[in-house]
Amino acid sequence: MICGIYVRLLAFHVLWNVSEVVGFSCSVECTPGDEEDISGASDIDENDEVIVSGLKSEGGNQNDENSANRPPPIFTQGQARGYDQLKADTNFEKPPPPLALPKDPKLPDYTPAPVITEDSARQALVEYVTAQCCWGTGAAKKLTIKNMVSSTSYHYILETFTEGRKLQNVHEPFTGQPIDGPQNGPAPGPWDIPALAKALFENEIRYIEVPHTAYVKTCHRCEGCGFLTCGSCGGRGRKRCGSCGGRGRKRRRRRRGDRWVTVSVTCFSCHGTGKRTCGRCSGTGRVTCSTCQGHCQLKWYTRLEVKWENIIDNHVVEKTELPDELILQAQGSNAFQDTQPRLPPIVTFPEPEINMASSRLLNAHQFGHLRNLMQRQTIRMVPVTQVYTLCKDKEMQFIVFGLENQVYAPDYPDTCCWGCTIL
């Protein structure tokens, strides 16, 4: 009998330890002598809060059926944690890390630029001279073309579509709108707020209210009154009449008989009082506060400014006297274009200067406070033809460039016609 009691006590001890580890209770059949009074713990309401293994389980409250329909309380204590020390126009220097470079870079595939004929070059020069004011076309029509040298200018373009985020503390009149304050949870980080640009490689700015950062505060300008003293009349409601200068009377010239005389008449604007009702405050002496718009309270919150900017850099390879800015504006053909989140430098293009420019600009397009979303590099080829001519026994050179055959002729002789003199 003693052994049986010992075995039952040992089993009860093991089961009790297991129940503490697993997190729920186990029932053990006991003899009448081993029963314990737990009448106060057996009647647990299912709506009470129960702590199970360190976790809190909340139940509904049947006594308050309208608690779910009540509006959230207005938070008026201050800024959310993490944003309370925020300085205006703060840039975030640590965006998410950039993506890795692709393993298989795209290789450029290019074709040579087209070559123009002598007739095309002469026609382009005549059209260019005709479009200029006071230039004569005689030299363009009579010149002799001696030689033409064709070449290709390369225009490398690197575009990096970036995203920058900036925080600002702003306010607006509180008119009873919902307040999403810290009572609803912790505020997310600046880079954790979802925002997508409408289109790639296009500049855009968007403003987003940071969740859980709003709070209500008394207007700091009117101190909760909703109105300010009128600055036009100083709160008096009336101003000096501008028609009579505050005198109440005006001088007028009247004809009496055969002569003119000066008489004093009552001012029609102020009816002789010298004062007029202030037009700004309508005589009340006070105006509505422009900060809170008369609502006495302000909603303060942290505003996130998301700015998408397409940063563009150019590099021109031009071996002639043609200015680089003309190559940037001229029409050309695309020899190569690659668009990826992160681009590798070009290393196999036949023009070494393009390869060096690609590597240099890609290294420069790593911005500490911006996130690179997409990159695009393009190589444009612009045809350039140097035309050596003989005009009026003098050598002259002009350049035809671009697919539309634009002309650069700084040494053209007939820049004046019909005897015009340029001052």
Side-chain angles (χ1 to χ4, degrees):
M1 183 177 178
I2 296 176
C3 292
I5 294 175
Y6 178 79
V7 170
R8 294 178 65 184
L9 290 175
L10 180 61
F12 177 81
H13 179 71
V14 171
L15 291 175
W16 178 262
N17 291 336
V18 170
S19 67
E20 290 183 346
V21 174
V22 176
F24 54 86
S25 60
C26 300
S27 59
V28 180
E29 182 181 0
C30 302
T31 59
D34 297 331
E35 292 180 356
E36 184 179 359
D37 185 11
I38 56 172
S39 59
S42 60
D43 298 330
I44 299 177
D45 190 359
E46 62 179 0
N47 294 324
D48 293 341
E49 297 183 353
V50 183
I51 306 298
V52 181
S53 299
L55 298 179
K56 183 176 180 180
S57 174
E58 297 182 2
N61 190 356
Q62 297 179 354
N63 296 329
D64 191 3
E65 298 179 354
N66 298 326
S67 60
N69 298 326
R70 292 178 180 175
I74 298 176
F75 187 77
T76 59
Q77 302 300 322
Q79 289 181 285
R81 181 175 299 178
Y83 291 86
D84 49 356
Q85 302 297 329
L86 174 65
K87 296 182 179 180
D89 298 336
T90 303
N91 284 313
F92 288 87
E93 302 294 337
K94 294 183 179 180
L99 300 176
L101 287 173
K103 297 182 179 179
D104 299 325
K106 183 179 179 181
L107 299 179
D109 183 16
Y110 64 95
T111 56
V115 179
I116 65 174
T117 62
E118 291 185 6
D119 294 338
S120 300
R122 186 186 301 273
Q123 182 63 27
L125 179 61
V126 171
E127 294 178 357
Y128 171 74
V129 172
T130 303
Q132 309 303 316
C133 179
C134 296
W135 284 29
T137 60
K141 295 178 180 180
K142 296 177 182 180
L143 58 80
T144 301
I145 297 178
K146 298 176 58 177
N147 188 21
M148 296 176 59
V149 179
S150 298
S151 61
T152 301
S153 296
Y154 299 102
H155 176 201
Y156 175 78
I157 310 171
L158 176 61
E159 301 174 81
T160 301
F161 187 60
T162 62
E163 177 184 355
R165 301 199 171 193
K166 181 188 299 183
L167 292 179
Q168 299 172 330
N169 290 328
V170 297
H171 59 77
E172 63 184 31
F174 176 65
T175 60
Q177 64 267 38
I179 299 298
D180 184 13
Q183 76 278 5
N184 295 330
W191 292 100
D192 296 332
I193 300 175
L196 296 177
K198 295 181 180 179
L200 292 177
F201 304 106
E202 291 186 7
N203 297 336
E204 181 186 353
I205 298 180
R206 191 180 306 171
Y207 298 98
I208 303 174
E209 178 181 343
V210 178
H212 315 327
T213 60
Y215 61 96
V216 177
K217 190 176 180 181
T218 302
C219 178
H220 57 275
R221 187 177 183 186
C222 65
E223 298 181 352
C225 298
F227 58 87
L228 299 171
T229 301
C230 179
S232 181
C233 64
R236 293 182 293 270
R238 295 175 65 83
K239 299 173 57 177
R240 187 178 65 175
C241 178
S243 180
C244 65
R247 294 184 296 270
R249 302 187 66 83
K250 301 173 66 175
R251 292 183 177 183
R252 290 288 184 267
R253 290 181 61 83
R254 300 286 176 84
R255 187 178 180 86
R256 292 185 179 180
D258 56 351
R259 62 189 181 91
W260 291 87
V261 296
T262 302
V263 297
S264 178
V265 297
T266 302
C267 178
F268 179 78
S269 299
C270 63
H271 305 285
T273 62
K275 301 288 184 180
R276 296 182 60 183
T277 302
C278 178
R280 183 181 180 187
C281 64
S282 301
T284 61
R286 61 185 186 181
V287 293
T288 303
C289 177
S290 59
T291 302
C292 66
Q293 297 180 5
H295 294 283
C296 305
Q297 290 182 312
L298 298 175
K299 171 189 173 182
W300 284 85
Y301 62 93
T302 302
R303 186 178 68 181
L304 176 66
E305 177 187 307
V306 185
K307 182 179 182 180
W308 291 279
E309 183 180 5
N310 190 30
I311 302 176
I312 305 176
D313 271 321
N314 301 274
H315 184 82
V316 175
V317 180
E318 170 55 36
K319 304 299 177 63
T320 67
E321 299 177 359
L322 189 66
D324 291 347
E325 55 268 17
L326 297 180
I327 295 295
L328 299 177
Q329 302 171 4
Q331 294 183 8
S333 58
N334 285 350
F336 170 71
Q337 188 175 77
D338 190 13
T339 303
Q340 298 186 49
R342 188 179 180 188
L343 287 172
I346 299 175
V347 295
T348 60
F349 199 74
E351 178 58 51
E353 190 173 345
I354 291 294
N355 298 329
M356 292 186 295
S358 175
S359 178
R360 175 177 56 84
L361 293 180
L362 282 172
N363 290 332
H365 276 220
Q366 302 296 328
F367 311 102
H369 62 284
L370 300 177
R371 176 168 62 175
N372 294 355
L373 300 180
M374 193 67 65
Q375 289 183 315
R376 179 170 63 191
Q377 56 184 352
T378 306
I379 300 177
R380 295 175 58 247
M381 296 188 306
V382 179
V384 177
T385 303
Q386 294 175 277
V387 184
Y388 297 92
T389 66
L390 187 63
C391 180
K392 297 180 181 180
D393 299 331
K394 294 182 179 180
E395 293 184 354
M396 187 195 73
Q397 173 189 355
F398 66 93
I399 301 176
V400 181
F401 62 96
L403 297 179
E404 70 275 39
N405 290 343
Q406 298 187 48
V407 174
Y408 175 70
D411 301 330
Y412 188 75
D414 293 343
T415 55
C416 295
C417 64
W418 306 107
C420 296
T421 301
I422 300 179
L423 298 180

